Amino acid sequence: MSERQIARDKAKAVTQQEADDVSTLKEFEGFSKFSDDDLKKVVQSSHRTSTSGPWPLIREQTVSDACYILLSGEAGVYVGNDKIATVKAGEVIGESALKRGKLRGATVTTAGRAEVLHIDRDDLDRLLDQIPALRTLIEDTIARRVP
């Protein structure tokens, strides 16, 4: 197989994965008001990651540089050794410290197999300017979680 064919096959697989991720996001209540173009922007601005077991996405008292959207699986939220919440698929994780410019207030660890979209700070800032529905989702999530 030629390098050109390998590149075409890889591009096709990436395009299909992006389409699958857009479809997955559409299924979640928080993303139901997003247009297909907006969901595509979110997916294309993120890095998709899979975990095969428990994995810390965020560590307490570390600098906030990204947020995550949990596509599948669950994650536990811990302050110290105490589990304070469970995050389910379709939820945004790590947005609060990122938007407030503070250190992470908790550790978030996947409970097992999980698929996540990782969105860097600069990409999130750009997306928030471009997608009003994302801004509303993030603001509503922060209001729900931050005392």
Side-chain angles (χ1 to χ4, degrees), residues 65-110:
D65 62 350
C67 71
Y68 300 85
I69 300 171
L70 193 59
L71 293 175
S72 68
E74 291 186 348
V77 181
Y78 299 86
V79 174
N81 291 325
D82 298 326
K83 185 175 182 180
I84 61 167
T86 299
V87 182
K88 299 188 185 249
E91 295 191 60
V92 180
I93 304 165
E95 75 298 326
S96 177
L98 192 60
K99 290 308 298 166
R100 294 182 305 145
K102 301 203 176 217
L103 293 178
R104 303 285 192 183
T107 296
V108 180
T109 302
T110 61

Side-chain angles (χ1 to χ4, degrees), residues 6-139:
I6 292 170
R8 275 195 296 261
D9 289 349
K10 182 177 179 183
K12 184 177 178 182
V14 167
T15 301
Q16 183 58 52
Q17 185 62 64
E18 288 175 353
D20 291 347
D21 290 345
V22 166
S23 293
T24 298
L25 286 175
K26 281 174 143 178
E27 296 174 13
F28 300 127
E29 182 180 337
F31 293 92
S32 63
K33 295 179 181 166
F34 286 56
S35 70
D36 286 351
D37 284 343
D38 288 347
L39 291 173
K40 190 173 181 179
K41 285 179 191 175
V42 170
V43 169
Q44 289 178 336
S45 297
S46 64
H47 173 76
R48 189 176 205 283
T49 303
S50 300
T51 67
S52 58
W55 188 262
L57 298 172
I58 293 171
R59 294 189 189 271
E60 188 175 8
Q61 296 302 308
T62 60
V63 175
S64 177
D65 62 350
C67 71
Y68 300 85
I69 300 171
L70 193 59
L71 293 175
S72 68
E74 291 186 348
V77 181
Y78 299 86
V79 174
N81 291 325
D82 298 326
K83 185 175 182 180
I84 61 167
T86 299
V87 182
K88 299 188 185 249
E91 295 191 60
V92 180
I93 304 165
E95 75 298 326
S96 177
L98 192 60
K99 290 308 298 166
R100 294 182 305 145
K102 301 203 176 217
L103 293 178
R104 303 285 192 183
T107 296
V108 180
T109 302
T110 61
R113 295 181 63 89
E115 306 283 333
V116 297
L117 295 179
H118 172 130
I119 306 173
D120 290 323
R121 172 193 304 274
D122 293 340
D123 291 325
L124 179 63
D125 288 342
R126 181 179 44 77
L127 289 169
L128 291 173
D129 287 340
Q130 294 175 355
I131 306 172
L134 182 61
R135 179 176 298 285
T136 300
L137 175 64
I138 296 290
E139 289 171 354

